[in-house]
Amino acid sequence: MKKLSASMTIIAVTLSGCAMSEGDFPSLQKRPYEDGAAIAESETLPAVEIALPADVQSDLNAAVARSGAAHSQFQSRLPAVKRRVDAARNAAVSSESWVAAHVELAALEGDRSPSVEALADIDALFRGQLERETVAGESGGTTIIARQRDVVQAQVDRQQTEIDAMMNRLR
């Protein structure tokens, strides 16, 4: 019974705020800036994207190119390494085929290291650009870098996935 009376009190107090008829309350009518034309007009404004400084753009292009070359080398070597790993799949640890597979995997890791280094370089470029934009009150350059970073990150992720899968087959 006490729960019912407490609930009724809460409901009565809550509803009493809705029943107030006195006071200066704001109108619920549409305001002029809420009409469709003004909203549609503001949605068509182009996003402003600043260009990167020439040296930053050059460094970014170089890092992306290094990663792309490393990824191509990785991809071209991958089928042979997979064959070697498959041949060593059930081999005894320290057997000739097992060691050969691990040597090939290590070489494949070496092929991908320029991609990982490029990713670190791009991260440094991003941090530097973010600092410049913060000081200057600008934005947009980090977006350019982030797009390229996503490409390199995807390459590094694919490489790591391939290496992990082969390492798991050798266990």
Side-chain angles (χ1 to χ4, degrees):
M1 187 68 172
K2 286 186 180 187
K3 286 184 182 181
L4 183 59
S5 64
S7 297
M8 294 301 286
T9 304
I10 291 171
I11 292 172
V13 170
T14 305
L15 291 177
S16 67
C18 297
M20 293 174 48
S21 60
E22 295 180 27
D24 190 21
F25 299 105
S27 167
L28 295 178
Q29 291 181 339
K30 186 190 277 187
R31 279 128 183 109
Y33 60 84
E34 294 177 327
D35 67 353
I39 292 172
E41 183 180 314
S42 68
E43 290 174 354
T44 61
L45 296 175
V48 176
E49 191 171 278
I50 67 168
L52 290 172
D55 61 328
V56 174
Q57 185 66 59
S58 176
D59 291 347
L60 178 61
N61 292 345
V64 171
R66 278 194 324 272
S67 180
H71 189 65
S72 293
Q73 176 67 25
F74 181 93
Q75 291 296 102
S76 68
R77 179 174 252 203
L78 187 61
V81 176
K82 282 183 175 181
R83 284 191 299 276
R84 181 74 73 168
V85 167
D86 287 341
R89 189 168 191 179
N90 293 318
V93 174
S94 298
S95 69
E96 185 177 337
S97 62
W98 186 88
V99 169
H102 278 278
V103 168
E104 290 293 324
L105 275 172
L108 196 60
E109 285 276 1
D111 288 344
R112 77 183 286 259
S113 75
S115 291
V116 176
E117 291 168 5
L119 189 58
D121 291 346
I122 293 171
D123 285 342
L125 291 172
F126 184 89
R127 281 189 306 276
Q129 183 63 28
L130 184 60
E131 288 173 11
R132 278 189 291 285
E133 288 180 11
T134 301
V135 169
E138 299 173 342
S139 66
T142 53
T143 304
I144 297 168
I145 296 172
R147 273 192 239 126
Q148 295 300 316
R149 185 192 186 285
D150 290 345
V151 170
V152 173
Q153 181 69 58
Q155 291 172 345
V156 169
D157 289 346
R158 281 194 301 274
Q159 294 164 358
Q160 189 63 51
T161 299
E162 291 288 353
I163 288 172
D164 289 345
M166 289 185 285
M167 289 298 288
N168 287 332
R169 284 197 301 264
L170 284 176
R171 292 183 185 172

